[in-house]
Amino acid sequence: MKVTVIGGTGYIGLVTGLGLAVHGNEVICVDIDQTKIDGLKQDILPIYERGLDELLAEAKELATITFTTAAEFAIRQSDIIMIAVGTPAMASGATDMRQITTALKQVAQAIDRYKVIVIKSTVPVGTGAWAKQLIKQHLKKPGVAFDVVSNPEFLREGKAVKDFLHPERIVIGADTKRATGMIKTLYHTFDAPLITTDITSSEMIKYACNAYLATRLSYINEIAEISECVGADIHSVIAGMSYDNRIGGHYLNPGPGFGGPCLNKDINALIHFAQQAGADVNLLRAVLSRNARQTKNISHYVSQQIQALGIANENVNICLLGLSFKAGTDDLRNSPAVDLIDQLVEKGVVIKAYDPAVKALYKRHATTVSVCDDLFSAVDQAHIIIIMTEWPQFKQLDLNALKKRIKYPLIVDTRNIINVHRAQLAGFVYKGIGIADRSALEIMDAAL
Ligand code: UDX
C-alpha cells in the first residue's frame, strides 16, 4: 500500500516507516527537518536504535522508501497517512498537541480523495474524535471522504525494530469497516493477533498498558523495600511469585525506578485527562510517588554511609556506573541516574561517572560531574560505587581488579546484577535493592 508517515524521521515514525517499507509497502517518510531528511538520503540515521541501519539498507535495496519534506505531495500520493509526530508533556501533565494539530491541518489541506489518517503518536483518549472534527473544519476540498484510525505503537527503546517487525499484537481502532479493512490489509504480512475496536478504546489500550507496566514496577519496588525492612530476600520472593502463571517473573526487576521518555509522561497524561473526565486516579498517583522514592532511598543510604565513613562530603568520591535510563540505549530522558546525580550534587560530593553509550550529561552537570571515557577512570579512588544501569559489562565486573583502585569497598547495586556472595568474597560491602543487610531475627530483636 502507499503510506506517508508524518514525523517520519522521529523515533516512532522512522521505525514504522522503514518497517512497513521492508514489508513491501511504498512508504514516504515526511519531516520538516531538512537536515535529517538529507542525512537519511545519505544513510545517516538521526537516532541510534539497534538494527535500524540494516532496516534502512533493506528498505533502500527494495526501493520502497522515500524521504522528503514535501508533505502535500506525499499525502496526495498515499492511501494511508500515519501521524507519528511528538506529543510532549506540558508542565501540567497535559499533552502538548501542537505538532499533531499542525499535521492534521496539513492533511486536511492536502487530501483530495478518500484517505485513512492513522494516529500513531500517543495521544490523550478522545483525540481521534477531535481529530476528525479538526480535519473536517480545515478540508480544502469540502466533502472529501476520510477516516481517522488509532493504531498505537508498543515499541521499546533498544528493541523497537524487533517489536515492530514481530509485534505481540496490532491494535486497530476505527469506526468504519472501510478503514479497518485498509489497515488490516496494511498489516496482512505481519504474524500477530489483530485487535479491532473503536477509536477511543484503542487510545485507552496504550495508556492502560504503560500504566500497568509502571504499576508492576512500582509494586515490586515497594515489595523490595518491605523485604529489605523485614529481612526477606527479593530474589527469592520474585522466584516464588513467578511460578504463579497469573503473575510471571518478567518485567519484575526492582531497581532505581522506571525512567525513559514514555512511562512517566504517559501516566501524567492519563492522570490529567482521567481527572478531567471525573475519574479517580489515586493508584496512578501512588505509582508515580513510589517511583520517585527509589532514588531518594538510594540518596539517603549514600548519606548514611558517608556519615559512617566520617569524611567530609567534599572529600567523598562517588563513582556512578550507568547513566542511561536502561541498558541498550543512550537516552537520558527521565533517567534515574540523572535524578540521583542531581540529589548527590546537592550534597557536594565528588562524582565521576561512566556509561558505555553516554559520553556527556546535561549542561547543568558540566562543572559538577566528570563523565569518564573508561570504567576504571571512573572507579579510581572511589569510596562508593553505584550501579545505576544494567549494562551487561557491569554484570561481569572484575571485582578484584576494581578493589585495588578504590578507597573504600562499597557497592550499591541498584539493579541487583552482581551476586552478593561474589561481591562479599572480593571484600566489598554490598547493598542491593530488596536485599536485607540484617537477618529477620536481628530486625525482630531490634523492634521488640
Ligand atoms: C516502554 C514500554 O515498555 C513500551 O511498550 C512503550 O511503547 C514505551 O515505554 P521503554 O521506555 O523503552 O518502553 O522501556 P522499558 O523496557 O519498558 O523500561 C522502562 C523503565 O523501567 C526503564 O527505566 C527500565 O530500567 C525499568 N524497568 C524495566 C525496571 O526497573 N525493571 C524491569 O523489570 C523492567
PDB file of all heavy atoms in Angstrom, residues 11 153-158 163 206 210 213 217 221 250-263 266 325-327 336 390 415, ligand 1:
ATOM      1  N   TYR A  11      11.615   8.936  16.222  1.00  0.00           N
ATOM      2  CA  TYR A  11      11.840   7.574  16.706  1.00  0.00           C
ATOM      3  C   TYR A  11      10.754   6.605  16.212  1.00  0.00           C
ATOM      4  O   TYR A  11      11.036   5.590  15.587  1.00  0.00           O
ATOM      5  CB  TYR A  11      11.877   7.630  18.231  1.00  0.00           C
ATOM      6  CG  TYR A  11      12.303   6.352  18.837  1.00  0.00           C
ATOM      7  CD1 TYR A  11      13.644   6.017  18.872  1.00  0.00           C
ATOM      8  CD2 TYR A  11      11.378   5.466  19.346  1.00  0.00           C
ATOM      9  CE1 TYR A  11      14.046   4.820  19.407  1.00  0.00           C
ATOM     10  CE2 TYR A  11      11.768   4.280  19.882  1.00  0.00           C
ATOM     11  CZ  TYR A  11      13.101   3.956  19.917  1.00  0.00           C
ATOM     12  OH  TYR A  11      13.489   2.771  20.440  1.00  0.00           O
ATOM     13  N   GLU A 153       1.478   2.396  19.059  1.00  0.00           N
ATOM     14  CA  GLU A 153       2.726   1.619  18.959  1.00  0.00           C
ATOM     15  C   GLU A 153       3.101   1.114  20.345  1.00  0.00           C
ATOM     16  O   GLU A 153       2.746   1.732  21.343  1.00  0.00           O
ATOM     17  CB  GLU A 153       3.839   2.479  18.355  1.00  0.00           C
ATOM     18  CG  GLU A 153       4.060   3.844  19.019  1.00  0.00           C
ATOM     19  CD  GLU A 153       4.827   3.806  20.311  1.00  0.00           C
ATOM     20  OE1 GLU A 153       5.529   2.813  20.536  1.00  0.00           O
ATOM     21  OE2 GLU A 153       4.718   4.760  21.105  1.00  0.00           O
ATOM     22  N   PHE A 154       3.816  -0.001  20.369  1.00  0.00           N
ATOM     23  CA  PHE A 154       4.271  -0.563  21.647  1.00  0.00           C
ATOM     24  C   PHE A 154       5.772  -0.854  21.550  1.00  0.00           C
ATOM     25  O   PHE A 154       6.224  -1.967  21.820  1.00  0.00           O
ATOM     26  CB  PHE A 154       3.491  -1.844  21.968  1.00  0.00           C
ATOM     27  CG  PHE A 154       1.996  -1.639  22.023  1.00  0.00           C
ATOM     28  CD1 PHE A 154       1.190  -1.942  20.929  1.00  0.00           C
ATOM     29  CD2 PHE A 154       1.394  -1.107  23.158  1.00  0.00           C
ATOM     30  CE1 PHE A 154      -0.183  -1.739  20.974  1.00  0.00           C
ATOM     31  CE2 PHE A 154       0.017  -0.904  23.213  1.00  0.00           C
ATOM     32  CZ  PHE A 154      -0.773  -1.216  22.115  1.00  0.00           C
ATOM     33  N   LEU A 155       6.520   0.142  21.091  1.00  0.00           N
ATOM     34  CA  LEU A 155       7.943  -0.077  20.828  1.00  0.00           C
ATOM     35  C   LEU A 155       8.787   0.252  22.046  1.00  0.00           C
ATOM     36  O   LEU A 155       8.655   1.325  22.627  1.00  0.00           O
ATOM     37  CB  LEU A 155       8.402   0.791  19.645  1.00  0.00           C
ATOM     38  CG  LEU A 155       7.562   0.692  18.362  1.00  0.00           C
ATOM     39  CD1 LEU A 155       8.142   1.606  17.280  1.00  0.00           C
ATOM     40  CD2 LEU A 155       7.507  -0.745  17.855  1.00  0.00           C
ATOM     41  N   ARG A 156       9.674  -0.671  22.395  1.00  0.00           N
ATOM     42  CA  ARG A 156      10.610  -0.410  23.495  1.00  0.00           C
ATOM     43  C   ARG A 156      11.927   0.079  22.917  1.00  0.00           C
ATOM     44  O   ARG A 156      12.384  -0.454  21.896  1.00  0.00           O
ATOM     45  CB  ARG A 156      10.895  -1.706  24.272  1.00  0.00           C
ATOM     46  CG  ARG A 156       9.748  -2.204  25.078  1.00  0.00           C
ATOM     47  CD  ARG A 156      10.000  -3.638  25.508  1.00  0.00           C
ATOM     48  NE  ARG A 156      10.082  -4.534  24.349  1.00  0.00           N
ATOM     49  CZ  ARG A 156      10.338  -5.830  24.426  1.00  0.00           C
ATOM     50  NH1 ARG A 156      10.556  -6.389  25.585  1.00  0.00           N
ATOM     51  NH2 ARG A 156      10.388  -6.586  23.338  1.00  0.00           N
ATOM     52  N   GLU A 157      12.544   1.042  23.568  1.00  0.00           N
ATOM     53  CA  GLU A 157      13.853   1.501  23.105  1.00  0.00           C
ATOM     54  C   GLU A 157      14.833   0.342  23.176  1.00  0.00           C
ATOM     55  O   GLU A 157      14.829  -0.443  24.117  1.00  0.00           O
ATOM     56  CB  GLU A 157      14.353   2.652  23.976  1.00  0.00           C
ATOM     57  CG  GLU A 157      13.752   3.959  23.563  1.00  0.00           C
ATOM     58  CD  GLU A 157      14.466   5.155  24.167  1.00  0.00           C
ATOM     59  OE1 GLU A 157      15.672   5.096  24.430  1.00  0.00           O
ATOM     60  OE2 GLU A 157      13.764   6.162  24.369  1.00  0.00           O
ATOM     61  N   GLY A 158      15.669   0.251  22.158  1.00  0.00           N
ATOM     62  CA  GLY A 158      16.663  -0.824  22.110  1.00  0.00           C
ATOM     63  C   GLY A 158      16.094  -2.081  21.469  1.00  0.00           C
ATOM     64  O   GLY A 158      16.837  -2.945  21.016  1.00  0.00           O
ATOM     65  N   ASP A 163      10.356  -5.194  17.945  1.00  0.00           N
ATOM     66  CA  ASP A 163       8.969  -5.013  18.379  1.00  0.00           C
ATOM     67  C   ASP A 163       8.063  -4.653  17.199  1.00  0.00           C
ATOM     68  O   ASP A 163       6.910  -5.056  17.145  1.00  0.00           O
ATOM     69  CB  ASP A 163       8.862  -3.905  19.438  1.00  0.00           C
ATOM     70  CG  ASP A 163       9.355  -4.370  20.806  1.00  0.00           C
ATOM     71  OD1 ASP A 163       9.526  -5.586  20.993  1.00  0.00           O
ATOM     72  OD2 ASP A 163       9.562  -3.509  21.681  1.00  0.00           O
ATOM     73  N   LYS A 206      -3.361   1.848  24.885  1.00  0.00           N
ATOM     74  CA  LYS A 206      -1.969   2.289  25.007  1.00  0.00           C
ATOM     75  C   LYS A 206      -1.661   2.778  26.425  1.00  0.00           C
ATOM     76  O   LYS A 206      -0.659   2.395  27.036  1.00  0.00           O
ATOM     77  CB  LYS A 206      -1.723   3.398  23.984  1.00  0.00           C
ATOM     78  CG  LYS A 206      -0.423   4.137  24.127  1.00  0.00           C
ATOM     79  CD  LYS A 206       0.762   3.287  23.748  1.00  0.00           C
ATOM     80  CE  LYS A 206       2.044   3.948  24.184  1.00  0.00           C
ATOM     81  NZ  LYS A 206       3.219   3.456  23.544  1.00  0.00           N
ATOM     82  N   ASN A 210       0.886   1.025  29.409  1.00  0.00           N
ATOM     83  CA  ASN A 210       2.023   1.693  30.051  1.00  0.00           C
ATOM     84  C   ASN A 210       1.774   1.918  31.540  1.00  0.00           C
ATOM     85  O   ASN A 210       2.694   1.793  32.347  1.00  0.00           O
ATOM     86  CB  ASN A 210       2.357   3.005  29.329  1.00  0.00           C
ATOM     87  CG  ASN A 210       3.260   2.750  28.138  1.00  0.00           C
ATOM     88  OD1 ASN A 210       3.638   1.611  27.871  1.00  0.00           O
ATOM     89  ND2 ASN A 210       3.611   3.788  27.411  1.00  0.00           N
ATOM     90  N   LEU A 213       2.406  -1.433  33.244  1.00  0.00           N
ATOM     91  CA  LEU A 213       3.845  -1.744  33.347  1.00  0.00           C
ATOM     92  C   LEU A 213       4.469  -0.952  34.486  1.00  0.00           C
ATOM     93  O   LEU A 213       5.234  -1.481  35.297  1.00  0.00           O
ATOM     94  CB  LEU A 213       4.557  -1.428  32.024  1.00  0.00           C
ATOM     95  CG  LEU A 213       4.172  -2.310  30.833  1.00  0.00           C
ATOM     96  CD1 LEU A 213       4.825  -1.810  29.548  1.00  0.00           C
ATOM     97  CD2 LEU A 213       4.559  -3.769  31.092  1.00  0.00           C
ATOM     98  N   LEU A 217       6.110  -2.210  38.171  1.00  0.00           N
ATOM     99  CA  LEU A 217       7.452  -1.858  38.653  1.00  0.00           C
ATOM    100  C   LEU A 217       7.381  -1.186  40.020  1.00  0.00           C
ATOM    101  O   LEU A 217       8.180  -1.491  40.909  1.00  0.00           O
ATOM    102  CB  LEU A 217       8.161  -0.954  37.632  1.00  0.00           C
ATOM    103  CG  LEU A 217       8.447  -1.625  36.284  1.00  0.00           C
ATOM    104  CD1 LEU A 217       9.075  -0.641  35.309  1.00  0.00           C
ATOM    105  CD2 LEU A 217       9.345  -2.851  36.457  1.00  0.00           C
ATOM    106  N   ASN A 221       9.001  -2.631  43.420  1.00  0.00           N
ATOM    107  CA  ASN A 221       9.943  -1.775  44.156  1.00  0.00           C
ATOM    108  C   ASN A 221       9.476  -1.605  45.604  1.00  0.00           C
ATOM    109  O   ASN A 221      10.289  -1.566  46.525  1.00  0.00           O
ATOM    110  CB  ASN A 221      10.090  -0.417  43.463  1.00  0.00           C
ATOM    111  CG  ASN A 221      11.010  -0.514  42.248  1.00  0.00           C
ATOM    112  OD1 ASN A 221      11.889  -1.369  42.193  1.00  0.00           O
ATOM    113  ND2 ASN A 221      10.805   0.353  41.266  1.00  0.00           N
ATOM    114  N   HIS A 250       8.564 -11.984  34.548  1.00  0.00           N
ATOM    115  CA  HIS A 250       9.130 -10.980  33.647  1.00  0.00           C
ATOM    116  C   HIS A 250       8.728  -9.566  34.091  1.00  0.00           C
ATOM    117  O   HIS A 250       7.716  -9.390  34.763  1.00  0.00           O
ATOM    118  CB  HIS A 250       8.599 -11.235  32.236  1.00  0.00           C
ATOM    119  CG  HIS A 250       7.101 -11.220  32.218  1.00  0.00           C
ATOM    120  ND1 HIS A 250       6.355 -12.318  32.596  1.00  0.00           N
ATOM    121  CD2 HIS A 250       6.216 -10.232  31.966  1.00  0.00           C
ATOM    122  CE1 HIS A 250       5.072 -11.993  32.550  1.00  0.00           C
ATOM    123  NE2 HIS A 250       4.955 -10.742  32.175  1.00  0.00           N
ATOM    124  N   TYR A 251       9.509  -8.605  33.674  1.00  0.00           N
ATOM    125  CA  TYR A 251       9.222  -7.186  33.942  1.00  0.00           C
ATOM    126  C   TYR A 251       8.928  -6.977  35.428  1.00  0.00           C
ATOM    127  O   TYR A 251       7.957  -6.339  35.825  1.00  0.00           O
ATOM    128  CB  TYR A 251       8.021  -6.713  33.093  1.00  0.00           C
ATOM    129  CG  TYR A 251       8.154  -5.264  32.665  1.00  0.00           C
ATOM    130  CD1 TYR A 251       8.912  -4.898  31.561  1.00  0.00           C
ATOM    131  CD2 TYR A 251       7.538  -4.238  33.377  1.00  0.00           C
ATOM    132  CE1 TYR A 251       9.048  -3.581  31.177  1.00  0.00           C
ATOM    133  CE2 TYR A 251       7.678  -2.910  33.000  1.00  0.00           C
ATOM    134  CZ  TYR A 251       8.425  -2.592  31.894  1.00  0.00           C
ATOM    135  OH  TYR A 251       8.561  -1.286  31.509  1.00  0.00           O
ATOM    136  N   LEU A 252       9.798  -7.562  36.236  1.00  0.00           N
ATOM    137  CA  LEU A 252       9.558  -7.533  37.676  1.00  0.00           C
ATOM    138  C   LEU A 252      10.865  -7.312  38.428  1.00  0.00           C
ATOM    139  O   LEU A 252      10.988  -7.698  39.588  1.00  0.00           O
ATOM    140  CB  LEU A 252       8.906  -8.872  38.081  1.00  0.00           C
ATOM    141  CG  LEU A 252       7.943  -8.913  39.266  1.00  0.00           C
ATOM    142  CD1 LEU A 252       6.836  -7.879  39.145  1.00  0.00           C
ATOM    143  CD2 LEU A 252       7.339 -10.303  39.402  1.00  0.00           C
ATOM    144  N   ASN A 253      11.844  -6.714  37.736  1.00  0.00           N
ATOM    145  CA  ASN A 253      13.117  -6.476  38.425  1.00  0.00           C
ATOM    146  C   ASN A 253      13.045  -5.177  39.204  1.00  0.00           C
ATOM    147  O   ASN A 253      12.786  -4.124  38.616  1.00  0.00           O
ATOM    148  CB  ASN A 253      14.276  -6.373  37.420  1.00  0.00           C
ATOM    149  CG  ASN A 253      14.457  -7.658  36.659  1.00  0.00           C
ATOM    150  OD1 ASN A 253      14.358  -8.734  37.243  1.00  0.00           O
ATOM    151  ND2 ASN A 253      14.690  -7.567  35.370  1.00  0.00           N
ATOM    152  N   PRO A 254      13.300  -5.231  40.516  1.00  0.00           N
ATOM    153  CA  PRO A 254      13.328  -3.978  41.258  1.00  0.00           C
ATOM    154  C   PRO A 254      14.522  -3.154  40.807  1.00  0.00           C
ATOM    155  O   PRO A 254      15.462  -3.694  40.235  1.00  0.00           O
ATOM    156  CB  PRO A 254      13.484  -4.426  42.713  1.00  0.00           C
ATOM    157  CG  PRO A 254      14.077  -5.783  42.636  1.00  0.00           C
ATOM    158  CD  PRO A 254      13.658  -6.393  41.329  1.00  0.00           C
ATOM    159  N   GLY A 255      14.479  -1.880  41.020  1.00  0.00           N
ATOM    160  CA  GLY A 255      15.573  -1.041  40.549  1.00  0.00           C
ATOM    161  C   GLY A 255      15.483   0.371  41.060  1.00  0.00           C
ATOM    162  O   GLY A 255      14.778   0.656  42.039  1.00  0.00           O
ATOM    163  N   PRO A 256      16.167   1.283  40.355  1.00  0.00           N
ATOM    164  CA  PRO A 256      16.172   2.681  40.806  1.00  0.00           C
ATOM    165  C   PRO A 256      14.917   3.436  40.373  1.00  0.00           C
ATOM    166  O   PRO A 256      14.840   4.645  40.532  1.00  0.00           O
ATOM    167  CB  PRO A 256      17.414   3.242  40.110  1.00  0.00           C
ATOM    168  CG  PRO A 256      17.528   2.437  38.857  1.00  0.00           C
ATOM    169  CD  PRO A 256      17.029   1.065  39.191  1.00  0.00           C
ATOM    170  N   GLY A 257      13.962   2.713  39.815  1.00  0.00           N
ATOM    171  CA  GLY A 257      12.722   3.353  39.357  1.00  0.00           C
ATOM    172  C   GLY A 257      12.677   3.368  37.842  1.00  0.00           C
ATOM    173  O   GLY A 257      13.706   3.317  37.180  1.00  0.00           O
ATOM    174  N   PHE A 258      11.456   3.418  37.303  1.00  0.00           N
ATOM    175  CA  PHE A 258      11.345   3.431  35.830  1.00  0.00           C
ATOM    176  C   PHE A 258      11.643   4.834  35.319  1.00  0.00           C
ATOM    177  O   PHE A 258      11.359   5.824  35.976  1.00  0.00           O
ATOM    178  CB  PHE A 258       9.970   2.933  35.359  1.00  0.00           C
ATOM    179  CG  PHE A 258       8.786   3.657  35.960  1.00  0.00           C
ATOM    180  CD1 PHE A 258       8.379   4.904  35.490  1.00  0.00           C
ATOM    181  CD2 PHE A 258       8.058   3.076  36.989  1.00  0.00           C
ATOM    182  CE1 PHE A 258       7.277   5.554  36.026  1.00  0.00           C
ATOM    183  CE2 PHE A 258       6.953   3.716  37.546  1.00  0.00           C
ATOM    184  CZ  PHE A 258       6.568   4.960  37.067  1.00  0.00           C
ATOM    185  N   GLY A 259      12.277   4.864  34.140  1.00  0.00           N
ATOM    186  CA  GLY A 259      12.575   6.146  33.509  1.00  0.00           C
ATOM    187  C   GLY A 259      12.218   6.088  32.041  1.00  0.00           C
ATOM    188  O   GLY A 259      11.396   5.278  31.627  1.00  0.00           O
ATOM    189  N   GLY A 260      12.861   6.951  31.261  1.00  0.00           N
ATOM    190  CA  GLY A 260      12.604   6.959  29.818  1.00  0.00           C
ATOM    191  C   GLY A 260      11.560   7.978  29.418  1.00  0.00           C
ATOM    192  O   GLY A 260      10.912   8.585  30.269  1.00  0.00           O
ATOM    193  N   PRO A 261      11.394   8.118  28.116  1.00  0.00           N
ATOM    194  CA  PRO A 261      10.510   9.170  27.628  1.00  0.00           C
ATOM    195  C   PRO A 261       9.017   8.844  27.735  1.00  0.00           C
ATOM    196  O   PRO A 261       8.183   9.736  27.571  1.00  0.00           O
ATOM    197  CB  PRO A 261      10.908   9.314  26.154  1.00  0.00           C
ATOM    198  CG  PRO A 261      11.496   7.995  25.792  1.00  0.00           C
ATOM    199  CD  PRO A 261      12.104   7.428  27.030  1.00  0.00           C
ATOM    200  N   CYS A 262       8.672   7.576  28.010  1.00  0.00           N
ATOM    201  CA  CYS A 262       7.251   7.209  27.887  1.00  0.00           C
ATOM    202  C   CYS A 262       6.491   7.041  29.202  1.00  0.00           C
ATOM    203  O   CYS A 262       5.443   7.674  29.393  1.00  0.00           O
ATOM    204  CB  CYS A 262       7.120   5.931  27.080  1.00  0.00           C
ATOM    205  SG  CYS A 262       7.659   6.159  25.395  1.00  0.00           S
ATOM    206  N   LEU A 263       6.978   6.159  30.074  1.00  0.00           N
ATOM    207  CA  LEU A 263       6.132   5.758  31.208  1.00  0.00           C
ATOM    208  C   LEU A 263       5.680   6.943  32.062  1.00  0.00           C
ATOM    209  O   LEU A 263       4.485   7.116  32.310  1.00  0.00           O
ATOM    210  CB  LEU A 263       6.829   4.689  32.060  1.00  0.00           C
ATOM    211  CG  LEU A 263       7.113   3.341  31.366  1.00  0.00           C
ATOM    212  CD1 LEU A 263       7.587   2.301  32.381  1.00  0.00           C
ATOM    213  CD2 LEU A 263       5.911   2.804  30.626  1.00  0.00           C
ATOM    214  N   ASP A 266       3.347   9.304  30.023  1.00  0.00           N
ATOM    215  CA  ASP A 266       2.017   8.760  29.732  1.00  0.00           C
ATOM    216  C   ASP A 266       1.156   8.680  30.992  1.00  0.00           C
ATOM    217  O   ASP A 266      -0.055   8.921  30.937  1.00  0.00           O
ATOM    218  CB  ASP A 266       2.141   7.376  29.070  1.00  0.00           C
ATOM    219  CG  ASP A 266       2.705   7.496  27.661  1.00  0.00           C
ATOM    220  OD1 ASP A 266       2.857   8.630  27.177  1.00  0.00           O
ATOM    221  OD2 ASP A 266       3.007   6.452  27.057  1.00  0.00           O
ATOM    222  N   PHE A 325      18.651   5.554  30.957  1.00  0.00           N
ATOM    223  CA  PHE A 325      17.532   5.099  31.801  1.00  0.00           C
ATOM    224  C   PHE A 325      17.393   3.587  31.847  1.00  0.00           C
ATOM    225  O   PHE A 325      16.729   3.051  32.738  1.00  0.00           O
ATOM    226  CB  PHE A 325      16.215   5.783  31.402  1.00  0.00           C
ATOM    227  CG  PHE A 325      15.514   5.190  30.202  1.00  0.00           C
ATOM    228  CD1 PHE A 325      14.530   4.222  30.359  1.00  0.00           C
ATOM    229  CD2 PHE A 325      15.812   5.616  28.922  1.00  0.00           C
ATOM    230  CE1 PHE A 325      13.860   3.678  29.264  1.00  0.00           C
ATOM    231  CE2 PHE A 325      15.159   5.086  27.814  1.00  0.00           C
ATOM    232  CZ  PHE A 325      14.184   4.112  27.987  1.00  0.00           C
ATOM    233  N   LYS A 326      18.022   2.918  30.883  1.00  0.00           N
ATOM    234  CA  LYS A 326      18.092   1.451  30.923  1.00  0.00           C
ATOM    235  C   LYS A 326      19.230   1.040  29.998  1.00  0.00           C
ATOM    236  O   LYS A 326      19.756   1.876  29.242  1.00  0.00           O
ATOM    237  CB  LYS A 326      16.769   0.811  30.481  1.00  0.00           C
ATOM    238  CG  LYS A 326      16.397   1.071  29.023  1.00  0.00           C
ATOM    239  CD  LYS A 326      15.157   0.286  28.629  1.00  0.00           C
ATOM    240  CE  LYS A 326      14.900   0.401  27.126  1.00  0.00           C
ATOM    241  NZ  LYS A 326      13.755  -0.365  26.676  1.00  0.00           N
ATOM    242  N   ALA A 327      19.624  -0.220  30.026  1.00  0.00           N
ATOM    243  CA  ALA A 327      20.704  -0.676  29.160  1.00  0.00           C
ATOM    244  C   ALA A 327      20.232  -0.718  27.714  1.00  0.00           C
ATOM    245  O   ALA A 327      19.030  -0.820  27.442  1.00  0.00           O
ATOM    246  CB  ALA A 327      21.167  -2.060  29.613  1.00  0.00           C
ATOM    247  N   PRO A 336      16.801   7.620  36.029  1.00  0.00           N
ATOM    248  CA  PRO A 336      17.007   7.644  37.488  1.00  0.00           C
ATOM    249  C   PRO A 336      18.434   8.050  37.842  1.00  0.00           C
ATOM    250  O   PRO A 336      18.660   8.672  38.882  1.00  0.00           O
ATOM    251  CB  PRO A 336      16.735   6.199  37.906  1.00  0.00           C
ATOM    252  CG  PRO A 336      15.895   5.617  36.827  1.00  0.00           C
ATOM    253  CD  PRO A 336      16.300   6.307  35.556  1.00  0.00           C
ATOM    254  N   GLU A 390      21.737  -1.437  33.981  1.00  0.00           N
ATOM    255  CA  GLU A 390      22.078  -2.877  33.962  1.00  0.00           C
ATOM    256  C   GLU A 390      22.867  -3.277  32.705  1.00  0.00           C
ATOM    257  O   GLU A 390      22.568  -4.292  32.071  1.00  0.00           O
ATOM    258  CB  GLU A 390      20.798  -3.702  34.139  1.00  0.00           C
ATOM    259  CG  GLU A 390      19.830  -3.766  32.956  1.00  0.00           C
ATOM    260  CD  GLU A 390      19.001  -2.513  32.711  1.00  0.00           C
ATOM    261  OE1 GLU A 390      19.354  -1.422  33.161  1.00  0.00           O
ATOM    262  OE2 GLU A 390      17.977  -2.640  32.005  1.00  0.00           O
ATOM    263  N   ARG A 415      20.534  -2.368  40.494  1.00  0.00           N
ATOM    264  CA  ARG A 415      19.890  -3.266  39.519  1.00  0.00           C
ATOM    265  C   ARG A 415      20.011  -4.727  39.936  1.00  0.00           C
ATOM    266  O   ARG A 415      19.609  -5.621  39.174  1.00  0.00           O
ATOM    267  CB  ARG A 415      20.524  -3.075  38.144  1.00  0.00           C
ATOM    268  CG  ARG A 415      20.346  -1.683  37.560  1.00  0.00           C
ATOM    269  CD  ARG A 415      18.943  -1.470  37.051  1.00  0.00           C
ATOM    270  NE  ARG A 415      18.797  -0.174  36.394  1.00  0.00           N
ATOM    271  CZ  ARG A 415      17.748   0.172  35.681  1.00  0.00           C
ATOM    272  NH1 ARG A 415      16.749  -0.676  35.511  1.00  0.00           N
ATOM    273  NH2 ARG A 415      17.656   1.365  35.148  1.00  0.00           N
TER     274      ARG A 415
HETATM  275  C1  UDX B   1       8.135   1.441  27.476  1.00  0.00           C
HETATM  276  C2  UDX B   1       7.147   0.315  27.176  1.00  0.00           C
HETATM  277  O1  UDX B   1       7.726  -0.938  27.548  1.00  0.00           O
HETATM  278  C3  UDX B   1       6.783   0.313  25.691  1.00  0.00           C
HETATM  279  O2  UDX B   1       5.814  -0.694  25.426  1.00  0.00           O
HETATM  280  C4  UDX B   1       6.219   1.680  25.344  1.00  0.00           C
HETATM  281  O3  UDX B   1       5.847   1.735  23.980  1.00  0.00           O
HETATM  282  C5  UDX B   1       7.225   2.764  25.673  1.00  0.00           C
HETATM  283  O4  UDX B   1       7.581   2.683  27.055  1.00  0.00           O
HETATM  284  P1  UDX B   1      10.749   1.787  27.219  1.00  0.00           P
HETATM  285  O5  UDX B   1      10.550   3.090  27.912  1.00  0.00           O
HETATM  286  O6  UDX B   1      11.612   1.728  26.011  1.00  0.00           O
HETATM  287  O7  UDX B   1       9.335   1.157  26.789  1.00  0.00           O
HETATM  288  O8  UDX B   1      11.428   0.835  28.305  1.00  0.00           O
HETATM  289  P2  UDX B   1      11.065  -0.422  29.192  1.00  0.00           P
HETATM  290  O9  UDX B   1      11.935  -1.526  28.746  1.00  0.00           O
HETATM  291  O10 UDX B   1       9.623  -0.687  29.311  1.00  0.00           O
HETATM  292  O11 UDX B   1      11.624   0.116  30.617  1.00  0.00           O
HETATM  293  C6  UDX B   1      11.078   1.258  31.244  1.00  0.00           C
HETATM  294  C7  UDX B   1      11.798   1.536  32.539  1.00  0.00           C
HETATM  295  O12 UDX B   1      11.506   0.530  33.519  1.00  0.00           O
HETATM  296  C8  UDX B   1      13.314   1.564  32.432  1.00  0.00           C
HETATM  297  O13 UDX B   1      13.812   2.620  33.235  1.00  0.00           O
HETATM  298  C9  UDX B   1      13.743   0.226  32.967  1.00  0.00           C
HETATM  299  O14 UDX B   1      15.041   0.221  33.512  1.00  0.00           O
HETATM  300  C10 UDX B   1      12.703  -0.011  34.048  1.00  0.00           C
HETATM  301  N1  UDX B   1      12.494  -1.440  34.339  1.00  0.00           N
HETATM  302  C11 UDX B   1      12.002  -2.277  33.377  1.00  0.00           C
HETATM  303  C12 UDX B   1      12.765  -1.929  35.614  1.00  0.00           C
HETATM  304  O15 UDX B   1      13.179  -1.174  36.509  1.00  0.00           O
HETATM  305  N2  UDX B   1      12.549  -3.255  35.871  1.00  0.00           N
HETATM  306  C13 UDX B   1      12.080  -4.106  34.913  1.00  0.00           C
HETATM  307  O16 UDX B   1      11.898  -5.306  35.235  1.00  0.00           O
HETATM  308  C14 UDX B   1      11.797  -3.610  33.641  1.00  0.00           C
END
